């Protein structure tokens, strides 16, 4: 079930009042939300709800056992069993075929052909986010940052809660479980905030991301040799806008929907293309993944504790694995490693006496830093979007040396979407706060008129169908 | 309740509504009802795309009844005209 669909509107219209009707009986409300979340997930594949249930039960009992054991080897073994168990689930479905194919290629090139069976199953949707949530729980229990919950329904809900189930944001176990202990407070519902996020998310996904994708980006990346060099350059920018509008739309709607149900999710995007360094980009892009990787991978690897060389190694491992998490392909690994390299290089600049501000002046240096960061991010998106390394190479070779000229196939509609996408990066935070404050004071008629009008306008300009969100595949 | 994470920009503080659930309920249901009346074609197309069954036939009949009502009152006209103008301006077709 996709958010911007009629079935989701009907689903939510049923779930919303029932959730609040059951609010005084918190346990019944949580069981109801679990049932609703499983129903939401079963819309794709009812069989895969077994994975959801199995993962929840596994982590629930494992955490209880971790909570009972005293620190020592047995506890450590159990913890690693839990981590590996969760990773195996992800590995089996997401990476088995990739590694099996690579192993067969390698042995073939060595003259020792190896025949490994490949899995003929579809990748269960949400498996990556499910694993992140499960790992967050057992790692925090192991480090005694949280106590294991004795309430099975809390874990079932934490793992499966439908707003964050498919593509995040990644909500830490501590932050979520604190909210499940007692009934939700109706005064935590921020209608203006939710309306802005949901309507804004619908606009970004249904209009901006969809038109950029169908009218320009898909074609440019499918056969770059058929497009001009200008088109390929604009294709990089267009994909940068498309993926932002697509992914941030999903998490915006998720945050808004969760808020309407009385739950608070963390922010996941903060105008990432305003970043002036790659480090700043990762503080603004998929913020919940960045902080997850930092806390559960980078810091346990040693973080920046053992000198610059180890720090660089840890950054590269974290970003490489972060890339691989996006998909079983060398393109994603390279994408992650390029970001890791940029982070390491930035750190070297930071530590050196070189200062752009001193040479160019503060404003010019800031502008240049933004320009370099933005283009670096766009450049790496080509690796992310292209289906293979060969396709990436074809894209860049046509862009650099192609004899396809400098004309463009960008239509006025695509140009408008690019411009709107750029504007999303420039809106000051205070506008949002001002809107929320205005909406909360507005009359009920205006409160209804505004979302109706916004969705009505989206419906007028909407394309025929809504393709899945990009991050569903991860 | 958000993550205690210094890297994250906190969500802006909102002013609590006096009756948040009542207001949310009105906004959600009236908005959906108005949309069903103003853009009835969406509901009809959606029910046509469902797997054929007696339930689908019932939903389709309900959607067509809403479409007739909307057409009779003239509520669908702004959408139809605006949609036509949008398609004409962008050179797109309904498919």
């Amino acid at each position: 079930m996709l958010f911007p669909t009629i079935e989701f509107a009907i689903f939510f219209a049923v779930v919303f009042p029932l959730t609040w009707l059951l609010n005084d009986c918190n346990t019944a409300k949580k069981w109801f939300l679990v049932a609703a979340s499983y129903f939401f997930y079963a819309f794709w594949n009812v069989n895969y709800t077994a994975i959801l249930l199995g993962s929840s039960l596994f982590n629930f009992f494992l955490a209880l056992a971790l909570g009972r054991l005293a620190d020592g080897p047995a506890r450590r073994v159990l913890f690693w069993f839990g981590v590996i168990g969760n990773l195996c689930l992800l590995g089996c479905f997401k990476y088995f075929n990739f590694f099996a194919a690579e192993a067969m290629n390698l042995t073939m090139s060595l003259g020792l052909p190896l025949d490994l069976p490949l899995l003929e199953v579809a990748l269960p949707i949400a498996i990556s986010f499910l694993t992140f949530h499960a790992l967050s729980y057992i790692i925090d229990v192991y480090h005694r940052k949280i106590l294991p919950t004795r309430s099975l329904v809390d874990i079932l809900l934490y793992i499966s809660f439908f707003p964050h189930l498919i593509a995040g944001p990644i909500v830490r176990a501590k932050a979520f479980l604190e909210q499940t202990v007692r009934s939700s407070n109706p005064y935590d519902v921020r209608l203006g905030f939710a309306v802005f996020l949901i309507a804004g998310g619908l606009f970004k996904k249904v209009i901006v991301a969809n038109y950029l994708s169908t009218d320009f980006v898909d074609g440019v990346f499918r056969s770059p040799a058929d497009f001009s060099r200008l088109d390929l350059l604009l294709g990089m920018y267009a994909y940068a806008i498309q993926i932002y509008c697509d992914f941030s739309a999903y998490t915006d709607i998720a945050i808004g929907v969760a808020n309407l149900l009385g739950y608070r999710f963390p922010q996941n995007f903060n105008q990432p293309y305003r970043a002036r360094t790659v480090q700043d980009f990762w503080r603004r892009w998929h913020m919940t993944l960045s902080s997850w990787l930092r806390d559960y991978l980078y810091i346990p690897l040693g973080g920046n504790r053992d000198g610059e060389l180890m720090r660089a190694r840890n950054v590269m491992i974290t970003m490489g694995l972060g890339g691989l998490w996006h998909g079983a392909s060398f393109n994603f690994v390279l994408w992650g490693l390029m970001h890791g390299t940029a982070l390491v290089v930035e750190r070297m600049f930071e530590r050196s006496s070189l200062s752009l501000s001193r040479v160019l002046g503060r404003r010019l240096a800031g502008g240049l830093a933004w320009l370099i960061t933005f283009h670096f991010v766009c450049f790496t998106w080509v690796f992310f979007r292209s289906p293979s390394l060969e396709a990436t190479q074809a894209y860049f070779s046509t862009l650099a040396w192609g004899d396809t000229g400098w004309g463009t196939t960008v239509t006025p509609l695509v140009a408008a979407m690019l411009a709107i996408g750029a504007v999303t990066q420039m809106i000051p935070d205070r506008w949002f706060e001002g809107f929320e404050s205005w909406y909360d004071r507005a009359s009920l008629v205006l409160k209804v008129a505004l979302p109706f009008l916004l969705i009505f306008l989206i419906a007028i300009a909407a394309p025929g169908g809504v393709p899945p969100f990009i991050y569903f595949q991860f | 309740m958000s993550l205690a994470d210094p890297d994250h920009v906190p969500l802006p503080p909102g002013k609590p509504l006096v009756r948040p659930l009542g207001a949310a309920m009105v906004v959600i249901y009236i908005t959906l009802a108005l949309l069903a009346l103003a853009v009835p074609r969406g509901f009809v197309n959606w029910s046509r795309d469902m797997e054929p069954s007696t339930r689908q036939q019932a939903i389709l009949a309900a959607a067509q009844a809403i479409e007739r009502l909307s057409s009779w009152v003239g509520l669908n006209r702004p959408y139809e005209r605006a949609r036509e103008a949008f398609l004409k301006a962008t050179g797109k077709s309904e498919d």
Side-chain angles (χ1 to χ4, degrees):
Chain A
M1 200 185 298
L2 294 170
F3 283 156
T5 56
I6 292 176
E7 49 261 42
F8 182 76
I10 295 169
F11 169 81
F12 189 70
V14 174
V15 168
F16 174 73
L18 290 177
T19 302
W20 285 105
L21 275 175
L22 292 168
N23 193 42
D24 288 339
C25 181
N26 192 32
T27 307
K29 182 186 82 169
K30 288 186 284 189
W31 277 112
F32 169 71
L33 282 174
V34 169
S37 299
Y38 275 68
F39 176 80
F40 177 85
Y41 192 71
F43 240 73
W44 279 287
N45 190 329
V46 71
N47 296 327
Y48 284 167
T49 53
I51 294 173
L52 210 54
L53 182 65
S55 170
S56 304
L57 291 174
F58 175 76
N59 289 292
F60 173 71
F61 289 112
L62 192 115
L64 280 180
L66 281 175
R68 281 203 198 99
L69 285 173
D71 288 344
R75 193 165 187 268
R76 210 163 31 246
V77 168
L78 188 66
F79 166 68
W80 281 108
F81 173 70
V83 171
I84 292 166
N86 279 296
L87 292 177
C88 276
L89 180 71
L90 185 64
C92 271
F93 284 105
K94 196 163 175 175
Y95 301 108
F96 179 81
N97 284 355
F98 171 69
F99 285 116
E102 289 308 317
M104 285 192 282
N105 287 343
L106 184 70
T107 52
M108 180 77 86
S109 63
L110 295 172
L112 301 162
L114 179 70
D115 193 20
L116 291 171
L118 295 178
L119 287 178
E120 300 279 336
V121 289
L123 178 68
I125 211 156
I127 193 150
S128 299
F129 286 92
L130 182 159
T131 310
F132 274 125
H133 285 109
L135 284 174
S136 156
Y137 178 55
I138 59 162
I139 294 172
D140 284 352
V141 166
Y142 177 71
H143 290 300
R144 303 202 190 279
K145 288 181 183 168
I146 53 170
L147 289 171
T149 178
R150 292 175 178 279
S151 163
L152 175 62
V153 70
D154 283 15
I155 289 303
L156 289 172
L157 184 59
Y158 171 57
I159 303 275
S160 70
F161 191 34
F162 71 86
H164 72 53
L165 174 62
I166 307 299
I170 301 165
V171 188
R172 300 290 177 90
K174 185 175 188 293
F176 190 80
L177 294 174
E178 279 173 355
Q179 300 180 66
T180 60
V181 176
R182 59 190 70 83
S183 298
S184 304
N185 180 356
Y187 289 94
D188 284 342
V189 171
R190 289 164 53 189
L191 193 54
F193 170 78
V195 162
F196 180 85
L197 288 180
I198 293 170
L202 288 175
F203 178 74
K204 283 193 286 186
K205 169 63 183 168
V206 176
I207 305 296
V208 182
N210 279 357
Y211 279 123
L212 283 177
S213 164
T214 54
D215 286 16
F216 189 54
V217 172
D218 288 355
V220 164
F221 278 88
R222 197 180 304 120
S223 51
D226 296 341
F227 288 85
S228 72
R229 294 164 78 180
L230 180 60
D231 273 343
L232 297 189
L233 186 66
L234 292 172
M236 291 196 327
Y237 300 143
Y239 184 64
I241 299 289
Q242 185 207 333
I243 193 169
Y244 166 74
C245 285
D246 189 288
F247 189 21
S248 71
Y250 188 91
T251 52
D252 283 356
I253 297 171
I255 294 168
V257 164
N259 182 263
L260 287 175
L261 296 173
Y263 294 90
R264 188 83 183 263
F265 281 1
Q267 189 182 5
N268 211 24
F269 287 90
N270 180 26
Q271 298 179 319
Y273 298 131
R274 292 178 79 150
R276 291 178 175 195
T277 62
V278 176
Q279 188 179 28
D280 188 22
F281 173 77
W282 282 102
R283 287 194 177 129
R284 293 165 173 269
W285 176 270
H286 204 174
M287 294 146 78
T288 57
L289 173 70
S290 311
S291 64
W292 195 99
L293 289 173
R294 182 196 61 202
D295 294 348
Y296 296 115
L297 189 57
Y298 176 70
I299 292 175
L301 280 170
N304 49 11
R305 287 193 297 270
D306 301 315
E308 284 307 305
L309 203 62
M310 291 304 280
R311 183 188 179 280
R313 184 204 70 160
N314 297 336
V315 167
M316 295 304 285
I317 293 174
T318 304
M319 296 308 289
L321 288 175
L324 184 64
W325 167 77
H326 283 85
S329 139
F330 284 119
N331 270 48
F332 289 121
V333 178
L334 261 177
W335 171 77
L337 290 176
M338 281 189 289
H339 275 270
T341 308
L343 290 169
V344 171
V345 170
E346 272 181 8
R347 173 78 172 178
M348 283 160 60
F349 267 100
E350 263 173 38
R351 289 173 60 84
S352 74
S353 54
L354 277 170
S355 168
L356 274 179
S357 312
R358 220 176 296 152
V359 181
L360 299 172
R362 206 180 174 82
R363 187 166 283 195
L364 194 61
L368 188 64
W370 170 81
L371 198 71
I372 293 169
T373 304
F374 177 67
H375 282 88
F376 170 77
V377 170
C378 290
F379 170 80
T380 57
W381 281 138
V382 176
F383 288 80
F384 193 93
R385 174 62 179 80
S386 297
S388 63
L389 283 176
E390 292 74 28
T392 314
Q393 197 185 1
Y395 194 100
F396 284 124
S397 59
T398 312
L399 177 61
W401 301 289
D403 53 1
T404 47
W406 287 94
T408 181
T409 57
V410 167
T411 61
L413 183 64
V414 169
M417 295 303 121
L418 279 170
I420 291 168
V423 168
T424 62
Q425 304 300 298
M426 295 171 197
I427 298 169
D429 279 351
R430 63 177 188 280
W431 285 20
F432 178 31
E433 288 162 26
F435 165 80
E436 189 183 355
S437 166
W438 169 82
Y439 188 84
D440 286 345
R441 280 183 277 109
S443 68
L444 201 55
V445 173
L446 271 178
K447 278 192 173 74
V448 172
L450 188 84
F452 164 72
L453 201 64
L454 290 173
I455 300 173
F456 181 73
L457 292 173
I458 292 168
I460 289 168
V466 181
F469 288 87
I470 293 173
Y471 262 68
F472 275 29
Q473 62 186 296
F474 306 139
Chain B
M1 209 174 293
S2 62
L3 289 175
D5 185 342
D7 286 351
H8 284 189
V9 179
L11 299 172
K15 183 184 151 202
L17 291 169
V18 181
R19 293 169 68 186
L21 286 185
M25 202 79 83
V26 170
V27 168
I28 290 169
Y29 287 106
I30 304 286
T31 301
L32 290 178
L34 286 174
L35 284 169
L37 285 167
V39 195
R41 199 208 295 177
F43 195 27
V44 171
N45 290 344
W46 172 75
S47 42
R48 273 208 188 104
D49 288 345
M50 290 169 78
E51 289 285 316
S53 66
T54 48
R55 193 183 55 153
Q56 182 258 350
Q57 289 301 315
I59 294 171
L60 180 60
Q64 285 168 334
I66 293 171
E67 191 178 35
R68 277 195 300 277
L69 173 70
S70 172
S71 180
W72 180 65
V73 181
L75 280 172
N76 63 341
R77 255 168 256 153
Y79 171 79
E80 297 294 344
R81 284 186 191 150
R83 178 76 179 167
E84 204 181 310
F86 173 79
L87 294 176
K88 202 172 165 188
T90 56
K92 295 199 160 292
S93 67
E94 204 54 77
D95 300 327

